[in-house]
Amino acid sequence: MEVVYIDEVFALNALVDYLLLLCAAKLAGEPFRRLRFALAALAGGLYAAGAVLPGWGFLTHPLYKLAAAVGMVLVAYGGSRRLLRLTLVFFGVAAAFGGGVLALQLLWGAPRALDLPTVLLCSAGCYVFLSLIFQRTARHGGGELAKAELELAGRRCRLTALVDTGNTLTDPATGRPVMVAEGDRLGALFPPGEGPEPGELDDPVSALERRRGGRWRLLPYRAVGVEHALLLAVRVDSAKVAGEDYGPILVALSPTPVSDGGGYSALIGA
């Protein structure tokens, strides 16, 4: 008779689920909402523990497994514009993780229970493998994805940015590159109530009139299908992209997403 310790089942599954959610968010360029990830992982652990209880074997049915996975995704990523992308990435990461566990079992030559060392080894291997694939496929028209960190008056914000050689937007006063970022992703840079409100960026002139100080300005730009337009911009104290220090630059706040697929939330010239 096989003995199953329900506390170990709960702990291991919760740990695996948390790592999968974290990895999917990392690969999709989604901000880490660790509390929500933890709650979703705890729910996944409870589901796994319930499935091994006597009389609850019906929870192992594929439909229940799918429902549990979708529920975890909604808890972790609900409200994100990238929900569909995150869901697909999460299932892809889970499949890769399952394949990694199976490969290790075959290498050991015999079935082996899923223990903590196996979890950590498979998680690290899947993360490295998927990160390499993601970095190779994350090139868009001469650019590549990179982690960006902005700082303003001691407050920091982290984004995934596309370093695009075709982006020639510069500061008219200094000639320095300008970053274009989704306005609703920069809330961490501003004290509560001082950042632009939703919809306010659609009228940058009025938004500028409601703000004082030398950091804010209007930035003219042209794009495909847009002959003349303005963006509200703020000068940050520092910007680092892929480890490179851009120094104090203008960050233009876009009222719309800058990426079709949601893989990045900022653009900057090389």
Side-chain angles (χ1 to χ4, degrees):
M1 177 182 295
E2 182 180 0
V3 178
V4 177
Y5 295 95
I6 194 170
D7 56 339
E8 291 184 1
V9 172
F10 169 78
L12 285 175
N13 280 273
L15 175 60
V16 170
D17 291 338
Y18 181 81
L19 293 174
L20 293 178
L21 292 167
L22 197 67
C23 185
K26 174 77 171 179
L27 296 179
E30 182 74 5
F32 290 170
R33 299 180 175 89
R34 298 182 185 275
L35 179 58
R36 294 184 61 172
F37 294 175
L39 291 175
L42 290 175
L46 289 174
Y47 164 79
V52 301
L53 291 175
W56 289 75
F58 65 90
L59 290 177
T60 61
H61 191 279
L63 288 179
Y64 285 100
K65 291 182 178 180
L66 178 61
V70 171
M72 286 172 48
V73 168
L74 292 177
V75 172
Y77 310 127
S80 172
R81 292 198 305 267
R82 304 177 177 86
L83 183 59
L84 177 59
R85 175 187 176 90
L86 285 163
T87 302
L88 296 176
V89 173
F90 173 76
F91 280 104
V93 171
F97 178 83
V101 172
L102 178 60
L104 288 179
Q105 289 176 337
L106 294 175
L107 288 174
W108 279 320
R112 181 184 176 97
L114 186 63
D115 53 15
L116 184 58
T118 306
V119 170
L120 296 178
L121 182 59
C122 288
S123 300
C126 289
Y127 180 82
V128 172
F129 177 72
L130 292 173
S131 296
L132 290 175
I133 293 179
F134 184 75
Q135 289 173 359
R136 287 183 176 274
T137 58
R139 299 182 179 273
H140 307 264
E144 61 179 302
L145 298 181
K147 293 303 177 184
E149 181 178 88
L150 307 178
E151 182 174 351
L152 177 62
R155 304 174 70 92
R156 291 181 174 84
C157 176
R158 293 178 175 84
L159 306 165
T160 299
L162 175 64
V163 183
D164 188 1
T165 56
N167 180 9
T168 59
L169 185 62
T170 57
D171 184 345
T174 65
R176 300 287 309 284
V178 172
M179 176 180 288
V180 180
E182 297 174 11
D184 60 358
R185 301 296 297 274
L186 301 179
L189 284 179
F190 310 105
E194 294 188 14
E197 298 294 332
E200 190 178 12
L201 297 177
D202 292 326
D203 186 0
V205 176
S206 298
L208 179 64
E209 291 175 350
R210 288 189 286 270
R211 285 166 175 79
R212 298 178 180 178
R215 292 187 180 273
W216 296 94
R217 65 187 62 190
L218 294 176
L219 183 71
Y221 77 99
R222 290 185 300 174
V224 177
V226 180
E227 191 63 27
H228 299 287
L230 295 171
L231 288 172
L232 182 67
V234 61
R235 186 174 298 280
V236 298
D237 296 328
S238 70
K240 295 181 179 179
V241 182
E244 180 179 355
D245 189 358
Y246 280 65
I249 63 170
L250 280 179
V251 177
L253 283 63
S254 172
T256 58
V258 299
S259 159
D260 291 337
Y264 52 91
S265 54
L267 292 167
I268 191 168

